[in-house]
Amino acid sequence: MATAIATGTQLGYARVSTGHQSLDQQVDALTAAGVDSSRIYSDKLSGMSSREERSGLGALLDYAREGDAIVVVGIDRLGRNAAEVMTTIRELGQRGIVLRSIREGIDTSNATGRMVAGVLASLAELELELGRERRTAAREARRARGQSIGRPKALDDAKAALAQRMHASGESATTIASALGVSRATVYRVLSQGA
């Protein structure tokens, strides 16, 4: 991680998970920390939204330059999970942009702040690796028991056979899909497997 010292603009970022939540508390804390209210970027989105769907964060990252400092109320505002937060922190460090988190007291312009951010990055990578191991073990356990892996089929074998018979008798894919309560794509997939 590059050594960054804030010499540029102080920028703020605030995020809430749903549209009915208010950004006011975060904006107040950011302005109290010295961020100009015109330099605060924000998002009001679902917690399940991806980083690419957060236009405020995207605009902030596009605007920020080496030497700038990004201030957040809490480090969790940078992403919906630890891995996403750490990806953002790592990117900021590589670009020479300082990160300050009010709640956690992190400031990557000093050695202690960079060390804490590094520990958090390591923990996020560990979390990802453990998650991959758990998912692999679960798949292997299901496979060993002869259970299906992945999404269940939209049509069981009996309904797939019915779709084949309906198609053979001249019914359209749209009619078959409507009768079986599935999409036309599902019908086409079943018909291509039976061909």
Side-chain angles (χ1 to χ4, degrees):
M1 198 177 277
T3 300
I5 297 175
T7 56
T9 307
Q10 216 174 204
L11 309 166
Y13 179 67
R15 177 180 65 84
V16 290
S17 299
T18 62
H20 69 271
Q21 291 177 315
S22 173
L23 292 163
D24 293 345
Q25 182 181 5
Q26 291 179 58
V27 169
D28 291 348
L30 293 170
T31 54
V35 179
D36 185 317
S37 61
S38 67
R39 297 287 186 197
I40 296 175
Y41 296 78
S42 64
D43 285 310
K44 277 190 169 189
L45 292 170
S46 161
M48 296 306 291
S49 64
S50 69
R51 181 176 162 191
E52 291 74 30
E53 294 169 326
R54 291 191 210 117
S55 59
L57 180 59
L60 170 64
L61 295 176
D62 286 344
Y63 181 84
R65 300 289 179 254
E66 184 175 352
D68 287 349
I70 293 178
V71 183
V72 291
V73 171
I75 204 160
D76 61 325
R77 300 295 85 200
L78 292 174
R80 61 187 172 93
N81 59 42
E84 197 172 87
V85 169
M86 294 323 304
T87 299
T88 303
I89 290 174
R90 192 174 305 115
E91 179 184 324
L92 294 175
Q94 290 167 348
R95 292 176 54 195
I97 299 169
V98 170
L99 173 67
R100 293 192 179 114
S101 174
I102 298 168
R103 185 185 317 130
E104 292 88 358
I106 294 174
D107 182 342
T108 61
S109 68
N110 62 53
T112 303
R114 286 189 298 277
M115 187 267 314
V116 169
V119 168
L120 291 175
S122 298
L123 291 173
E125 288 174 22
L126 176 63
E127 176 186 321
L128 280 176
E129 185 60 34
L130 291 174
R132 276 192 288 269
E133 288 175 9
R134 284 191 298 270
R135 289 187 297 276
T136 300
R139 275 193 305 273
E140 293 304 319
R142 291 186 66 77
R143 189 173 286 123
R145 289 182 177 84
Q147 296 172 331
S148 64
I149 298 169
R151 228 167 102 183
K153 292 182 179 181
L155 296 177
D156 60 22
D157 292 339
K159 286 186 179 179
L162 175 59
Q164 295 286 350
R165 288 192 306 274
M166 289 175 76
H167 179 67
S169 68
E171 296 293 339
S172 71
T174 302
T175 303
I176 298 168
S178 178
L180 298 176
V182 294
S183 69
R184 285 186 327 181
T186 298
V187 171
Y188 288 129
R189 188 170 36 256
V190 166
L191 295 176
S192 70
Q193 292 169 351

